Structures are given as C-alpha cells and as structure tokens.
Amino acid sequence: YIDSLLVEVRHLDAVMPSTEMTLFGKTFATPVATAALSHMGNQYPDGMAAMADGANQAGALCFSGMGPQDELERMVATGAQVIKIIKPYADRDSVYAKIRHAEEIGCLAVGIDTDHAFDRRHGYDCIEGMEMFPLSSAELKDMVASTKLPFFIKGVLSRKEARKCLDCGVKGMVVSHHNGRIETAVPPLMVLPEIAEEVNGEAALFVDCAIQSGLDVLKCLALGATGACVGRPLMQPLREKGPEGVRETIAAITNDLRYS
C-alpha cells in the first residue's frame, strides 16, 4: 500500500527542509524513531541498549518493547529518550509496576500495546509464560491517570478507537497492525488521515509496519503523522556494527527524507 501512494513533485521556490521533530518538550533531529522492538540481544550483545545508544547518537526517539527492568535502565542510561511500551498482561499489577518503573528511571513516556491480547489460535495470547488480556476503556483511563508521563497506545487502526483513546487522556498513538497479526487488516497509512483528522493535534501520531525509506517517512508525515517507526531495517546494521550501525541507518533514512 505504501508504494501505491504517489508523490506530487514540485521544485519551484523549494528550500532545504528541516527534519527536526518536537515531542513533549524535547527536540529531535529526525522524525525517524526506532520501533518498539524486543529481544535484540539475539542480534547484538545487550542489543536494546545498543539500539538506544545508536538512536541517541542520531538524535532520534527510541521506543522499547518487552524486556527486563535492568535492560530498560541501560537504555535510558545511554542518554536516549525512551518510550516504554508494555504488553497487555492479564496481571494488571505487573502493568502498573512497569509504568511506575518507567517513570522512576526517566523514560520520556510510557504506553501499552493493545493488539497482543489475542493469539493467532483464537484465544488470549501468552508470551514468555505471561498471559495477556484485552484492555477496557475504563482500565486505560485508570492507567493514564496513574502516571505523570504522557501515555501512548500502540495498535490503533481506526478512527473510533482513536477517539476512545483521546477520551481516556492518551497523548500518543502508534498506528500499527503489528506486522500483519490480522490478515487483511487496514494498512496503517490508509487509515492514518482519518485518525489524524479525529486527533486534530490532541496527541502525537506515529506509524510503523514496513517503513523502510525516507520516502516512506515522507508519506507518513504528509498524511498526518508526527513521526515514523523503523524496525526491521535496523536489525542487520545492529547485528553487524552495533550502535554505529543503528546511527548510520537512521541518518541515511533521514537524509533520504530530506531529499524527498
């Protein structure tokens, strides 16, 4: 779907663009952020901290997925601005504990992933022995109120759900189908304009799933996103060169965005 979106080209009166992005009072060199990845120790020693280090060197925002508390602490210790995305654990006490921990160690924001509540076998998901359970609007509202940090939702794919999130006090959303967990789910960029219209500046909007180039990022921004999350394109550079590979890749995508 991304490749079906064509670019209207204009050159007269053009200027060199700024790629800076502001979010929650912080200024970033690029709207390219790392996706909320997990288990990057499989790619590089202490891979999530290495990814955060590379993002920080590139002046980029870093999302974090699953992982132990000490790993998140090492990510924040790199100087990166980190947003912690928590799974919808059935044990809600563990969710609140992770929210508190993210706040205590200085994360920029915290949030929850809504689309991992169900597995592909039509039951509730279970990840690393931890059962998942879908989130209600009332629970989301309580979670938002439990922290001083801005609260994100990852997995928004409809205008109606975006409105529910806003009504609960959410300050950021990741428009995502989690790399196709549901076949034929609407592509994030297809639904992004409707969500952006509904949000109307009340929350930050990020897009992930298949974002690979600066031109892809441009399309996200043009359709109303604050920024775009890159995941898979960072894995091989991380594996081969560690933080420097992450920095180089984010810089290259940002330069591609500037040219586009």
Side-chain angles (χ1 to χ4, degrees):
Y1 182 78
I2 294 174
D3 290 343
S4 75
L5 299 172
L6 305 181
V7 177
E8 180 181 306
V9 180
R10 308 184 208 128
H11 287 122
L12 287 177
D13 302 316
V15 297
M16 188 63 70
S18 168
T19 60
E20 285 190 348
M21 175 190 75
T22 58
L23 180 70
F24 306 141
K26 303 290 184 180
T27 300
F28 298 87
T30 175
V32 180
T34 72
L37 299 171
S38 308
H39 314 305
M40 288 298 102
N42 296 332
Q43 305 292 323
Y44 189 84
D46 204 6
M48 288 303 297
M51 181 164 289
D53 189 8
N56 186 48
Q57 291 181 40
L61 175 66
C62 181
F63 283 86
S64 171
M66 293 183 73
Q69 290 188 347
D70 60 339
E71 178 183 79
L72 183 62
E73 291 165 7
R74 292 193 298 276
M75 292 177 71
V76 173
T78 67
Q81 297 295 327
V82 179
I83 296 179
K84 172 66 175 177
I85 301 296
I86 302 162
K87 296 295 182 192
Y89 298 107
D91 177 5
R92 299 303 201 220
D93 288 343
S94 71
V95 174
Y96 281 100
K98 291 177 186 297
I99 291 172
R100 289 193 298 271
H101 179 250
E103 184 175 313
E104 289 166 0
I105 67 172
C107 285
L108 179 64
V110 68
I112 196 162
D113 155 5
T114 60
D115 61 355
H116 241 297
F118 303 97
D119 65 17
R120 295 178 186 272
R121 296 178 299 279
H122 315 297
Y124 297 125
D125 210 345
C126 184
I127 304 175
E128 297 181 345
M130 295 287 287
E131 293 185 356
M132 306 291 155
F133 195 78
L135 197 67
S136 71
S137 295
E139 286 179 310
L140 175 58
K141 191 170 185 178
D142 287 344
M143 289 176 185
V144 171
S146 75
T147 178
K148 299 176 183 177
L149 295 179
F151 205 95
F152 262 76
I153 288 290
K154 180 176 183 286
V156 177
L157 266 186
S158 78
R159 182 173 194 151
K160 289 182 178 179
E161 189 136 300
R163 170 42 57 190
K164 286 184 178 181
C165 291
L166 291 175
D167 290 345
C168 290
V170 164
K171 295 301 180 184
M173 304 178 201
V174 181
V175 183
S176 168
H177 55 43
H178 218 117
N179 273 322
R181 281 181 61 80
I182 297 179
E183 292 183 8
T184 71
V186 60
L189 282 182
M190 181 182 285
V191 74
L192 175 61
E194 291 183 18
I195 292 175
E197 184 177 53
E198 185 68 34
V199 169
N200 193 29
E202 292 183 51
L205 288 178
F206 285 78
V207 180
D208 77 358
C209 302
I211 307 300
Q212 300 184 50
S213 69
L215 189 55
D216 292 343
V217 176
L218 176 68
K219 293 174 183 180
C220 296
L221 301 180
L223 293 175
T226 307
C229 300
V230 174
R232 293 179 187 274
L234 298 177
M235 291 184 183
Q236 185 172 340
L238 174 66
R239 183 166 58 249
E240 294 177 351
K241 300 178 69 174
E244 179 61 14
V246 174
R247 185 200 67 77
E248 288 179 352
T249 303
I250 294 175
I253 294 173
T254 302
N255 284 334
D256 187 28
L257 167 64
R258 186 177 291 110
Y259 171 79
S260 300

